[in-house]
Amino acid sequence: MRRLECRFLAAVPVRAWFATLALGTWGLVAVGLELQALLRLAPCPLCIFQRILYLAIGFLGLVGFLLPTVRLVWCALVALLGLGGAAVAGYQSWMQAFPQLATECGYAEPNAIERLVDYLGMQWPGLFLATGFCTSRDWEFLGLSMANWSFFVFLGCAGLALALAVRRGQ
């Protein structure tokens, strides 16, 4: 089985993997925006920060598609952003699982993430305005919240980046 997986990864060009990463993460942002509008969901600051990380990973995927010769740099950056995103989504998942233990976003002095989200929300409210609470589970699919799903997607992005980094050839 492992040989099959390695052959499949090696059979597809690096540029195609980077394009898939870019289109996939940007597609997730588009789906999130559509769900937000259709279901009248209120994204929280951590949700918006994850959205920013998805956009950044997509940008790195585009750059990796255009400049695949320095793929190790792009892979390292995508892996770091993916692991950082998994940490943020994991923290939000913990907040949703134990809301009585969590300090809700907005009740204390704003941290760096909240200040960045507030600034971007003022500049582009349709994409970055945070109006919800981090502990709410307004949307679920197969018993998992959006933060839970985001955790796994970020790990998948980091895993793909690591697989592309150790891949031989272009």
Side-chain angles (χ1 to χ4, degrees), residues 33 42 44 57 65 68 86 131 166-167:
L33 287 169
C44 71
I57 290 172
F65 172 77
T131 57
V166 299
R167 174 185 158 156

Side-chain angles (χ1 to χ4, degrees), residues 38-56:
L38 287 174
L39 303 176
R40 299 182 198 276
L41 300 175
C44 71
L46 292 179
C47 298
I48 297 296
F49 187 67
Q50 291 171 61
R51 188 177 288 176
I52 293 167
L53 292 176
Y54 280 126
L55 291 171

Side-chain angles (χ1 to χ4, degrees), residues 49-106:
F49 187 67
Q50 291 171 61
R51 188 177 288 176
I52 293 167
L53 292 176
Y54 280 126
L55 291 171
I57 290 172
F59 175 76
L60 289 172
L62 177 64
V63 173
F65 172 77
L66 296 173
L67 300 168
T69 55
V70 286
R71 74 163 190 234
L72 291 179
V73 173
W74 312 134
C75 288
L77 291 172
V78 167
L80 286 174
L81 287 177
L83 292 175
V88 172
Y91 177 63
Q92 185 179 3
S93 296
W94 174 83
M95 290 177 78
Q96 291 174 347
F98 303 102
Q100 69 279 10
L101 300 175
T103 303
E104 186 59 59
C105 298

Side-chain angles (χ1 to χ4, degrees), residues 88-167:
V88 172
Y91 177 63
Q92 185 179 3
S93 296
W94 174 83
M95 290 177 78
Q96 291 174 347
F98 303 102
Q100 69 279 10
L101 300 175
T103 303
E104 186 59 59
C105 298
Y107 288 130
E109 184 68 29
N111 61 28
I113 290 174
E114 291 172 326
R115 283 195 295 270
L116 173 66
V117 168
D118 285 343
Y119 172 77
L120 290 174
M122 299 277 210
Q123 305 306 312
W124 197 350
L127 188 59
F128 298 119
L129 186 62
T131 57
F133 295 105
C134 297
T135 56
S136 64
R137 293 176 66 111
D138 294 336
W139 180 88
E140 289 186 7
F141 180 67
L142 298 177
L144 298 175
S145 71
M146 205 173 284
N148 301 144
W149 285 108
S150 189
F151 173 79
F152 293 117
V153 171
F154 277 121
L155 285 182
C157 290
L160 176 62
L162 292 175
L164 288 177
V166 299
R167 174 185 158 156

Side-chain angles (χ1 to χ4, degrees), residues 21-44:
L21 184 66
L23 293 174
T25 54
W26 291 340
L28 285 172
V29 171
V31 167
L33 287 169
E34 193 61 30
L35 282 174
Q36 179 182 334
L38 287 174
L39 303 176
R40 299 182 198 276
L41 300 175
C44 71

